[in-house]
Amino acid sequence: GESKFLPKYPGLDERDLFGEICQEMHAQGIKVMAYCHYGVIHRHAAAAHSEWLACERDGTPARWNGANQHFRTCMANEKFTAAMQGAILELCANYQFEALYLDGPTWYGDCHCEHCKNAYRQAYDEEMPGNLNFEDGSQQKYNLIRDAATERIVRELRQALPPEIPLLFNMTLRY
């Protein structure tokens, strides 16, 4: 269906693919777990909301796995996380499913956008280095900002979700 928060993939035209899948699965007696990739968006969503994208050190939009189709998003960007929460709550209101699985919220790498730089500045009263590293402690400091943002996202989402919907998530923390 249509969303007030995220653009619909244009290849679906008027089709409500998730609704069709839910309907058929339930008709067959199969429970449905909704899946949301939380940390990566398709190029169509990225074109509509470039302000949500994570940034590489040089300021360019951060791609996911180097692919041209997907972009990493910034978990410190509260406009993005509010849109994701809105879309997830919209999903819960519009469809019947038995559980929600988030592939994330995940950073998939360091981000050098203004949201991250501001969070670093606010947390440590210093500028975020362009080259985060463990030797000077900047990577550890940045990782704590990532942890706090991820914790906030999951806590707020759990509080907003209907209590009967189990929330499962996978967060990639490689440090």
Side-chain angles (χ1 to χ4, degrees):
E2 295 298 321
S3 172
K4 293 185 288 187
F5 302 96
L6 297 174
K8 184 176 181 177
Y9 181 73
L12 292 175
D13 296 316
E14 297 301 314
R15 195 168 178 195
D16 180 4
L17 185 59
F18 186 68
E20 293 171 26
I21 291 169
C22 284
Q23 184 176 3
E24 184 60 29
M25 297 292 266
H26 287 132
Q28 299 296 323
I30 301 170
K31 294 181 179 182
V32 176
M33 182 180 339
Y35 170 91
C36 295
H37 199 171
Y38 201 127
V40 172
I41 56 177
H42 192 272
R43 66 182 166 91
H44 296 287
H49 292 285
S50 60
E51 72 277 9
W52 293 348
L53 301 182
C55 292
E56 301 291 357
R57 278 188 289 199
D58 64 4
T60 59
R63 303 229 180 227
W64 180 57
N65 286 339
N68 290 327
Q69 295 294 330
H70 297 91
F71 290 83
R72 295 181 1 228
T73 54
C74 178
M75 302 303 119
N77 183 335
E78 292 188 16
K79 287 186 178 181
F80 166 70
T81 61
M84 279 299 292
Q85 180 171 318
I88 290 168
L89 294 176
E90 192 176 60
L91 185 72
C92 293
N94 294 337
Y95 300 96
Q96 180 186 354
F97 51 88
E98 287 67 36
L100 174 63
Y101 174 74
L102 301 181
D103 196 353
T106 300
W107 294 71
Y108 293 108
D110 296 337
C111 175
H112 296 270
C113 76
E114 289 306 312
H115 300 281
C116 287
K117 290 176 183 178
N118 288 337
Y120 194 99
R121 191 178 308 111
Q122 288 176 359
Y124 305 111
D125 197 30
E126 61 187 61
E127 296 301 316
M128 187 172 105
N131 186 21
L132 297 168
N133 64 76
F134 287 99
E135 289 75 31
D136 68 6
S138 60
Q139 185 70 59
Q140 294 92 320
K141 289 178 179 179
Y142 179 74
N143 290 349
L144 290 173
I145 291 168
R146 290 166 33 144
D147 286 351
T150 301
E151 181 183 322
R152 176 189 56 79
I153 291 164
V154 173
R155 184 182 359 70
E156 289 176 359
L157 188 56
R158 178 68 269 170
Q159 291 170 348
L161 283 170
E164 66 275 9
I165 297 179
L167 174 62
L168 301 105
F169 56 92
N170 173 35
M171 297 185 319
T172 305
L173 302 175
R174 290 189 261 177
Y175 57 88

